[in-house]
Amino acid sequence: MMEKRFDIVHDFYTKFFTTKTNLMKTSQKRIEPIGINFSSWQLVIHLSVFCQENNRGMTTSELAEDLIISRQAVLKQMKCLLEEELIVVQENNADKRSPYYCVSEKGEELCQYVVEEIFADWMMESLKDFSTDEIQAATKILAHLTKF
C-alpha cells in the first residue's frame, strides 16, 4: 500500500517540477515582448503578492531567500527596477540597514496589465477542462507546498 502511495506522490512531484519549468518558459515568452525581462517580472510580481498579503515590503535578503537567487542578483535587479520606477523603497523601522522594497503604483499597473491582458486568456484556456472545485483543490495543495 505504501509503495503505491509513494508512486503516486512521486508522479505528482515529477509532474509538478515539469509543470513549473514549463510555466516559467511560457511566462518568459509572454513577458519579454512588453519590455521587462523574466527575472525582473519575478521580483515585481513576488513583491506585489507579498505586499498585499503581509502589508509590508521585503528586504533583499528575504527576496533572495524566497526566489532562491543570490542577494547580489537581487540588488542588481532592484537597482534597475528602481530606475524604471516599478518599485519603491520603504524604511524598515526594525533594521535601518535593510530597507523594505515595495511595488510602486507603476509596478502595480504593470502587474494588473500582465495578469489581465497577457495571461487572462491563457489562464482560462489552460484550466477550462477543470471544475472550480478541482482548481480550488489544486490551489490548496500548492499553498500547502509553499509552507515547506
Side-chain angles (χ1 to χ4, degrees):
M1 182 71 153
M2 187 59 113
E3 283 184 29
K4 180 162 175 67
R5 180 161 175 86
F6 176 80
D7 290 343
I8 292 168
V9 170
H10 179 268
D11 186 50
F12 171 83
Y13 273 99
T14 300
K15 286 183 172 63
F16 171 78
F17 289 118
T18 301
T19 301
K20 182 180 181 228
T21 300
N22 289 339
L23 285 171
M24 289 175 71
K25 288 178 185 176
T26 298
S27 294
Q28 188 166 357
K29 287 177 188 172
R30 290 177 174 273
I31 293 297
E32 289 186 347
I34 66 167
I36 185 170
N37 68 48
F38 186 67
S39 298
S40 293
W41 168 248
Q42 282 185 298
L43 284 169
V44 171
I45 194 67
H46 192 78
L47 274 174
S48 176
V49 171
F50 183 89
C51 293
Q52 288 172 11
E53 292 177 354
N54 296 283
N55 207 27
R56 72 165 179 88
M58 296 183 79
T59 65
T60 54
S61 296
E62 290 172 326
L63 279 163
E65 183 178 329
D66 276 12
L67 298 174
I68 312 170
I69 56 178
S70 72
R71 189 168 173 273
Q72 291 76 18
V74 170
L75 285 168
K76 182 179 177 183
Q77 287 297 119
M78 298 306 258
K79 182 180 177 191
C80 294
L81 294 171
L82 283 165
E83 289 171 5
E84 294 174 24
E85 299 178 342
L86 294 173
I87 62 170
V88 293
V89 179
Q90 255 185 5
E91 188 174 317
N92 178 351
N93 293 327
D95 184 355
K96 303 282 186 202
R97 297 169 295 141
S98 296
Y100 288 132
Y101 293 91
C102 302
V103 178
S104 67
E105 188 174 318
K106 183 178 176 182
E108 286 298 344
E109 289 171 4
L110 174 70
C111 291
Q112 184 176 351
Y113 171 79
V114 169
V115 170
E116 292 177 4
E117 301 296 327
I118 295 177
F119 284 115
D121 291 340
W122 174 78
M123 288 188 298
M124 295 304 290
E125 179 65 24
S126 67
L127 296 175
K128 71 178 180 189
D129 296 329
F130 297 94
S131 70
T132 299
D133 289 341
E134 290 172 318
I135 295 168
Q136 288 173 331
T139 301
K140 185 177 178 181
I141 290 168
L142 292 173
H144 176 76
L145 292 176
T146 61
K147 294 178 184 175
F148 294 101

